[in-house]
Amino acid sequence: MLINRTRDVRDALFHLRRVENTSIQSQVREMLVSAILEGQIPADEALPSSRKLARTLGVSRNTIVIAYQGLVDDGYLTARERSGFYVNGDIREGNRPLSVPKEFSDGLTPRWEDLFRIHPSRQQNIQKPLQWQSYPYPFIYGQVDQELFPIAEWRECSRQALGKKGMDAWTSDTHGSDDALLVEQIRTRLLPRRGIRATDDEVLVTLGAQNALYLLASLLITENTTVAMEEPGYPDVRNTFLLKTKRVIPIPVDDHGLVVDHRLDQCGYVYVTPSHQFPTTATMPLERRRALLERSISGDFLIIEDDYEFETNYVSEPTPALKSLDTAGRVLYVGSLSKTLFPGLRLGYMVGPRALIKEARALRRLMLRHPPNNNQRTVAMFLALGHHETMVHRLHRAYRERWQAMGEALNRHLPDSSRAPTFGGTSFWVRGPEGQDATELAARAIQKGVLIEPGRINFMANDAPNNYFRLGFSSIPTDRIEPGIRILANLIRG
Amino acid sequence: MLINRTRDVRDALFHLRRVENTSIQSQVREMLVSAILEGQIPADEALPSSRKLARTLGVSRNTIVIAYQGLVDDGYLTARERSGFYVNGDIREGNRPLSVPKEFSDGLTPRWEDLFRIHPSRQQNIQKPLQWQSYPYPFIYGQVDQELFPIAEWRECSRQALGKKGMDAWTSDTHGSDDALLVEQIRTRLLPRRGIRATDDEVLVTLGAQNALYLLASLLITENTTVAMEEPGYPDVRNTFLLKTKRVIPIPVDDHGLVVDHRLDQCGYVYVTPSHQFPTTATMPLERRRALLERSISGDFLIIEDDYEFETNYVSEPTPALKSLDTAGRVLYVGSLSKTLFPGLRLGYMVGPRALIKEARALRRLMLRHPPNNNQRTVAMFLALGHHETMVHRLHRAYRERWQAMGEALNRHLPDSSRAPTFGGTSFWVRGPEGQDATELAARAIQKGVLIEPGRINFMANDAPNNYFRLGFSSIPTDRIEPGIRILANLIRG
């Protein structure tokens, strides 16, 4: 009974691998496709009957029947009458692994470390646990709260965006162009909220705000350029500037955001996050905005405005964007859809003068062509159907509630810690007791299921304080806030 | 009857704007959302009854009922008993356009042209009509044939990828990380077809092959680096190299692809498209591949292999990738999913030594973080379920048929034009008669509905010939090929 033994062995190859969150139907298909492509099923031998395989896998027979039929349709299997299903030899053509040299010869391999012209991996940057969802008290920043995301609406927009009739809109390589519907939505729905008017050729869609900043840095900054950076400030932007120039100057931040004085005059570009300064969340008041704009003329510098979390003001109306107050054409504006949609999407935009957008578009073409068209179209639909607006309101309500709970819990459990007055954002920036090392605190907190972000990484100065940390609240339910802060306070008191 | 007149005027505002390919339901919702957010409906006045609005718009009353109810659920409308639906004032908060300065003051605006450190928009590049689908004979290159794309399967993968349970996989900002399932599929399904083995940390997912090449150029090339470029060759890559260094050296291409001789020894990097040379489609035979690899050791240069269209060999098995023959660790490999899926997707990958992938990953983080996670997951599913394999086979059959039709039509109608022997690819590279200006020919052809691509742009030399052109066949149905070539031949003969 050799055949039966072979079959038994082979049948053991059929096991369902749980690809996360896929249907049983998909799992069965994936298993069969793997076995076929990897050559585990001889071409001259019938596959197990649907009845038998269903029993082996513990699924319904109908599932197997559908899977077999789909694989016949797609050319993986052929059906032979009265004999069963067989692997179609054609499908494995080109799938025979070619011979591969095993080891590289010594001495011939390049010394890669000597060849890199830049070393971005040596830069310090924020590290976050990717599995933050598994911690009970994730005071982390910048991730989506899945309970607040309108997944049904998003899926419906995605479905409509992937329509057969509009296929060219999402399948074609459109070179430098953006989805016209998305640009229209940005111009007419998003920018007016910030007081900004722009024409189509003053807007560029980018792969998130980070990509917009990288494009600007590549266009405008070389080793002779001096750039003003908020201190503390956003490490990813500082690292981007530092790839281009060593002349990055830290400028202090106070309760009103970036300090505006003579130190800016030595700079060609000033990077600023006026809506909610990163990481302190301070909002720059109107007077300081005006002072910064006036100084940009007298000091002859340009402003890169990262208009970060403008939606989240809980006690008053949002302050107008710098760009909307700019009478001298000196502000380059960067916006993001990642905060209100979801960060994994990577979609943002920049607004600037036509000449600059033209260059940025040409550079983007070389860097990545364009943000994926299917996502551009889905977001355009999401905006056009008003879902984004609804979501911003929903987030606003949820975040305000958490912001209040955070304030109360910090007042109660950490009355000695200091924090700037905040009006919004999605995090608190906390100064722990003198001598407290927040990195060490974070390591102890994680043992108790509490995730916090040490603040040291946001400073550029070597002698920066170690006792700051950030507590994000965009991903933690309100009822976990007080218990989490209590645990943290106990750890601080030691 | 003032109220009625006001209403009549306002009702005229309600008109269905045909957002391409969306359902009537979505169009009605979009119209209402626009009217509400733009303040066209006074807060104290009821919206038209569902019956009336249905009549005005010529849609079923039920469509309006569903739209109104959805907008109540989302906070756009409130329902007052016996009185109808009213705009919820809250939703317009923050939507009042702020005042905007109208004109920039003279003399204060920066002279942007003086500020750009690079001028990518001045580079010459391929221009293609975006509306190519509307021409009867689109011999254009690199776009998808919508008839061949398995849209139902793609949509199903997209639907499953956007699952509620796996939300962290696609919503989170994953910083430097890639979708583990996609990396596994690339390693186990795609790379073995090219004879390449790689570990997880030797693979980086990129926003298309273009993005991989930009990352490599940014990491490895500065103004002192000499780079060998195929002549003719791929303009987008040449332009990328030229942003980093002036020392880009054109190396001729013959029927076997890039010519391997002493000229390569002066270079630090050699860019090559061995599967089907861009734009000539010449396949580099095994002997020349071995010669190139040996020369990379004796001449001490590194190879950037753009393994472009390896799937499309119609007369023989694909030749193994350079990377699979590389015993000295000198080949950096770039692959694309845009050609077999769709170019608008922007998804590719690179394979290289661990140290290089680590740097490229850190640089990608600053440039764009990561390719959108929803797309990474969808493609991973598409690969895992075997749809990609099926599609490659389907494309292969269709393209082979068109390739034969192209060859026959060219032999028949343009026997005097010269072309290299080809074994695959998705285009023909044709040398027209001496003295023929292909740019001028293309302009005349477009009048007759025939799109061709003048070849001049692919050359770097100033005195390059003007009589080459490219005829792509990936987007033209077989039965249009012969008539299109006939028209073109008549134009050439004048």
Side-chain angles (χ1 to χ4, degrees):
Chain A
M1 295 301 285
L2 183 63
I3 287 175
N4 273 353
R5 273 184 54 214
T6 316
R7 284 207 166 196
D8 288 347
V9 170
R10 207 200 52 232
D11 291 353
L13 292 172
F14 291 124
H15 61 276
L16 288 186
R17 193 182 66 143
R18 298 263 150 195
V19 176
E20 294 163 54
N21 325 299
T22 57
S23 63
I24 295 289
Q25 190 67 62
S26 294
Q27 289 175 41
V28 168
R29 182 181 165 109
E30 201 233 332
M31 175 205 74
L32 290 166
V33 165
S34 286
I36 294 166
L37 291 180
E38 287 160 19
Q40 291 169 6
I41 307 171
D44 57 353
E45 196 177 290
L47 270 80
S49 72
S50 53
R51 192 183 304 273
K52 184 172 176 208
L53 185 55
R55 207 170 45 231
T56 310
L57 299 175
V59 303
S60 85
R61 188 176 162 205
N62 205 32
T63 302
I64 306 296
V65 169
I66 291 171
Y68 279 177
Q69 193 50 52
L71 292 172
V72 169
D73 294 344
D74 290 345
Y76 283 86
L77 298 179
T78 50
R80 294 192 203 157
E81 217 162 333
R82 265 182 263 269
S83 166
F85 294 99
Y86 289 79
V87 170
N88 177 2
D90 290 354
I91 199 78
R92 280 223 295 274
E93 245 177 60
N95 242 335
R96 288 180 286 272
L98 305 155
S99 69
V100 188
K102 274 194 196 62
E103 295 282 335
F104 291 140
S105 320
D106 270 350
L108 301 177
T109 309
R111 291 168 45 92
W112 286 101
E113 284 298 328
D114 300 344
L115 292 171
F116 302 135
R117 303 314 174 113
I118 49 177
H119 292 87
S121 80
R122 294 183 191 166
Q123 293 179 327
Q124 295 216 320
N125 215 322
I126 298 174
Q127 303 293 336
K128 306 190 194 197
L130 285 176
Q131 300 307 320
W132 57 267
Q133 289 95 342
S134 60
Y135 293 87
Y137 309 105
F139 291 103
I140 57 130
Y141 178 80
Q143 298 291 12
V144 78
D145 184 329
Q146 301 177 0
E147 297 304 314
L148 297 174
F149 186 75
I151 189 163
E153 288 78 5
W154 177 263
R155 287 171 74 163
E156 174 58 18
C157 288
S158 168
R159 199 187 64 76
Q160 290 207 27
L162 298 180
K164 173 104 184 150
K165 264 157 117 198
M167 262 189 89
D168 12 317
W170 58 275
T171 58
S172 292
D173 178 347
T174 46
H175 311 291
S177 305
D178 293 319
D179 187 294
L181 188 59
L182 177 58
V183 173
E184 182 189 304
Q185 288 294 317
I186 291 170
R187 283 201 312 102
T188 62
R189 283 279 160 84
L190 299 180
L191 295 179
R193 294 179 67 109
R194 309 301 295 130
I196 298 169
R197 278 189 229 163
T199 56
D200 281 352
D201 51 4
E202 292 170 333
V203 177
L204 184 73
V205 181
T206 60
L207 211 82
Q210 183 71 33
N211 182 231
L213 295 164
Y214 193 93
L215 285 163
L216 289 175
S218 300
L219 272 181
L220 300 170
I221 297 172
T222 61
E223 52 188 355
N224 300 317
T225 315
T226 305
V227 182
M229 179 71 207
E230 296 167 325
E231 173 83 343
Y234 182 37
D236 278 287
V237 171
R238 190 171 61 226
N239 285 338
T240 300
F241 293 148
L242 285 169
L243 283 186
K244 310 287 176 183
T245 177
K246 286 181 183 151
R247 295 160 70 166
V248 176
I249 301 186
I251 305 285
V253 163
D254 65 17
D255 290 355
H256 290 166
L258 184 76
V259 173
V260 175
D261 64 19
H262 64 95
R263 284 172 288 191
L264 299 179
D265 301 351
Q266 64 190 306
C267 300
Y269 297 89
V270 172
Y271 170 81
V272 64
T273 52
S275 276
H276 294 290
Q277 200 271 333
F278 187 108
T280 67
T281 78
T283 300
M284 187 181 280
L286 201 55
E287 311 81 68
R288 185 164 300 176
R289 290 181 193 231
R290 292 200 202 280
L292 177 59
L293 288 165
E294 278 162 28
R295 189 119 212 158
S296 77
I297 298 169
S298 64
D300 194 17
F301 57 82
L302 298 167
I303 298 168
I304 298 173
E305 177 179 26
D306 188 346
D307 191 24
Y308 198 73
E309 297 199 322
F310 70 83
E311 312 88 348
T312 55
N313 248 32
Y314 308 126
V315 291
S316 61
E317 291 285 298
T319 317
L322 280 170
K323 174 90 183 153
S324 77
L325 307 166
D326 172 27
T327 54
R330 294 186 158 266
V331 178
L332 303 172
Y333 180 89
V334 172
S336 171
L337 285 159
S338 301
K339 297 293 168 202
T340 47
L341 286 166
F342 53 93
L345 178 68
R346 315 301 317 134
L347 215 56
Y349 46 96
M350 69 164 89
V351 183
R354 201 160 300 143
L356 179 122
I357 294 299
K358 186 180 167 197
E359 290 297 343
R361 194 182 295 282
L363 182 59
R364 192 194 67 181
R365 174 181 175 144
L366 299 181
M367 193 179 284
L368 53 83
R369 292 262 202 242
H370 51 75
N373 288 333
N374 59 336
N375 281 348
Q376 289 197 50
R377 180 47 61 106
T378 303
V379 172
M381 300 279 303
F382 197 80
L383 284 160
L385 293 177
H387 298 311
H388 184 256
E389 200 78 19
T390 306
M391 184 170 179
V392 167
H393 280 261
R394 187 187 308 155
L395 287 177
H396 197 274
R397 275 194 301 276
Y399 289 168
R400 184 169 46 199
E401 183 184 289
R402 295 179 193 176
W403 177 75
Q404 282 167 341
M406 288 287 292
E408 285 161 19
L410 286 168
N411 285 340
R412 182 164 159 204
H413 296 297
L414 283 171
D416 304 330
S417 77
S418 158
R419 25 181 237 282
T422 64
F423 310 107
T426 57
S427 62
F428 278 75
W429 177 246
V430 182
R431 193 177 79 200
E434 291 300 319
Q436 172 87 63
D437 180 341
T439 307
E440 182 267 343
L441 175 66
R444 279 193 294 138
I446 208 169
Q447 306 294 329
K448 304 275 186 190
V450 179
L451 295 185
I452 69 168
E453 295 186 18
R456 181 67 184 78
I457 189 77
N458 300 297
F459 291 92
M460 192 175 176
N462 286 327
D463 59 349
N466 278 323
N467 54 334
Y468 282 90
F469 54 92
R470 183 164 65 164
L471 300 174
F473 56 83
S474 61
S475 311
I476 185 169
T478 309
D479 60 0
R480 297 274 180 85
I481 289 177
E482 194 273 338
I485 299 290
R486 183 155 24 101
I487 295 170
L488 188 67
N490 286 335
L491 289 170
I492 288 178
R493 287 200 208 90
Chain B
M1 295 296 285
L2 183 63
I3 287 174
N4 272 354
R5 274 184 53 213
T6 316
R7 283 207 166 195
D8 287 347
V9 171
R10 208 199 53 232
D11 290 353
L13 293 171
F14 291 124
H15 59 276
L16 288 186
R17 193 182 66 143
R18 298 262 150 194
V19 176
E20 294 162 55
N21 325 300
T22 57
S23 63
I24 296 287
Q25 190 67 62
S26 293
Q27 289 175 41
V28 168
R29 181 181 164 108
E30 201 234 332
M31 175 205 74
L32 290 167
V33 165
S34 286
I36 293 166
L37 291 180
E38 286 160 18
Q40 291 169 7
I41 306 171
D44 58 352
E45 198 177 289
L47 270 81
S49 71
S50 53
R51 191 183 303 273
K52 185 172 176 208
L53 186 55
R55 207 169 46 229
T56 310
L57 299 175
V59 303
S60 86
R61 188 175 162 206
N62 205 32
T63 301
I64 307 296
V65 170
I66 291 171
Y68 279 177
Q69 193 50 53
L71 292 172
V72 169
D73 294 345
D74 289 346
Y76 282 85
L77 299 178
T78 50
R80 295 191 202 156
E81 217 163 332
R82 266 179 263 269
S83 166
F85 294 98
Y86 289 79
V87 170
N88 177 1
D90 290 353
I91 200 78
R92 280 224 294 275
E93 244 177 62
N95 242 334
R96 287 180 285 272
L98 304 156
S99 68
V100 188
K102 275 194 196 61
E103 295 280 335
F104 291 140
S105 320
D106 270 351
L108 301 178
T109 309
R111 290 169 46 89
W112 286 101
E113 284 297 330
D114 300 343
L115 293 172
F116 302 135
R117 305 312 176 115
I118 50 176
H119 292 87
S121 80
R122 293 184 192 166
Q123 293 179 326
Q124 296 216 319
N125 215 321
I126 298 173
Q127 304 292 337
K128 304 190 195 196
L130 285 177
Q131 300 306 319
W132 58 267
Q133 289 93 343
S134 60
Y135 294 86
Y137 309 104
F139 292 103
I140 57 130
Y141 179 80
Q143 298 292 12
V144 78
D145 184 329
Q146 300 178 359
E147 297 303 313
L148 298 175
F149 186 76
I151 187 163
E153 287 78 4
W154 176 263
R155 287 171 74 164
E156 173 59 18
C157 288
S158 168
R159 199 186 64 76
Q160 290 206 28
L162 298 180
K164 174 101 184 155
K165 263 157 118 200
M167 263 189 88
D168 13 316
W170 57 276
T171 59
S172 291
D173 178 349
T174 45
H175 311 291
S177 306
D178 293 320
D179 188 293
L181 188 59
L182 178 57
V183 173
E184 182 188 305
Q185 289 295 316
I186 291 170
R187 283 202 310 103
T188 61
R189 283 279 160 84
L190 299 180
L191 296 178
R193 294 178 69 109
R194 308 301 294 128
I196 298 168
R197 277 189 229 163
T199 55
D200 281 352
D201 51 5
E202 292 170 335
V203 177
L204 184 73
V205 181
T206 60
L207 212 82
Q210 184 70 34
N211 182 231
L213 295 164
Y214 193 93
L215 284 163
L216 288 175
S218 300
L219 271 181
L220 299 170
I221 297 172
T222 61
E223 51 188 357
N224 301 318
T225 316
T226 305
V227 182
M229 181 70 207
E230 295 167 325
E231 174 83 344
Y234 182 38
D236 278 288
V237 171
R238 191 172 61 226
N239 285 338
T240 300
F241 294 148
L242 285 169
L243 284 186
K244 310 287 175 184
T245 178
K246 286 182 183 152
R247 296 161 70 166
V248 176
I249 300 185
I251 304 285
V253 163
D254 64 18
D255 291 355
H256 290 166
L258 184 77
V259 172
V260 175
D261 64 19
H262 64 95
R263 285 172 288 191
L264 298 180
D265 300 351
Q266 62 190 307
C267 300
Y269 297 90
V270 173
Y271 170 82
V272 64
T273 53
S275 276
H276 293 290
Q277 200 271 333
F278 187 109
T280 68
T281 77
T283 300
M284 188 181 279
L286 200 56
E287 311 80 67
R288 175 135 344 149
R289 291 181 193 231
R290 293 227 158 87
L292 177 59
L293 288 165
E294 278 162 28
R295 189 118 211 157
S296 77
I297 297 169
S298 65
D300 193 17
F301 57 80
L302 298 168
I303 297 168
I304 298 173
E305 176 179 26
D306 188 347
D307 192 22
Y308 198 75
E309 298 199 325
F310 69 83
E311 312 87 350
T312 54
N313 247 33
Y314 309 126
V315 290
S316 60
E317 292 285 298
T319 318
L322 279 171
K323 174 88 182 154
S324 77
L325 307 167
D326 172 27
T327 54
R330 293 185 158 266
V331 178
L332 302 172
Y333 180 89
V334 173
S336 171
L337 286 159
S338 301
K339 297 292 168 204
T340 47
L341 286 166
F342 53 93
L345 177 69
R346 316 301 316 133
L347 215 55
Y349 46 94
M350 68 164 91
V351 183
R354 201 160 300 142
L356 179 121
I357 294 298
K358 186 181 166 196
E359 290 297 342
R361 192 182 297 281
L363 182 60
R364 192 193 68 181
R365 174 182 175 145
L366 298 181
M367 193 179 284
L368 54 83
R369 294 262 201 242
H370 50 75
N373 288 334
N374 59 336
N375 281 348
Q376 289 198 49
R377 179 49 60 107
T378 303
V379 172
M381 300 278 304
F382 198 80
L383 284 161
L385 294 177
H387 298 310
H388 184 256
E389 199 78 18
T390 306
M391 183 169 180
V392 167
H393 280 260
R394 187 187 308 154
L395 287 177
H396 197 274
R397 276 193 302 275
Y399 289 168
R400 183 170 47 199
E401 184 185 289
R402 294 179 193 175
W403 177 75
Q404 281 167 342
M406 288 287 292
E408 286 161 18
L410 286 168
N411 285 340
R412 181 164 160 205
H413 296 296
L414 283 171
D416 305 329
S417 76
S418 158
R419 25 181 237 282
T422 63
F423 311 106
T426 58
S427 63
F428 278 75
W429 177 247
V430 182
R431 193 176 78 200
E434 291 300 319
Q436 171 88 64
D437 181 341
T439 307
E440 182 266 341
L441 174 65
R444 280 194 293 138
I446 207 168
Q447 305 294 329
K448 304 275 184 191
V450 179
L451 295 185
I452 69 168
E453 296 186 18
R456 181 67 184 77
I457 189 76
N458 300 295
F459 290 93
M460 192 175 175
N462 286 327
D463 59 349
N466 278 324
N467 55 334
Y468 281 91
F469 54 92
R470 181 164 66 165
L471 300 174
F473 55 83
S474 60
S475 312
I476 186 168
T478 309
D479 59 1
R480 297 273 182 84
I481 287 176
E482 194 274 337
I485 298 289
R486 183 155 25 100
I487 296 170
L488 187 67
N490 287 335
L491 288 171
I492 288 178
R493 287 197 208 92

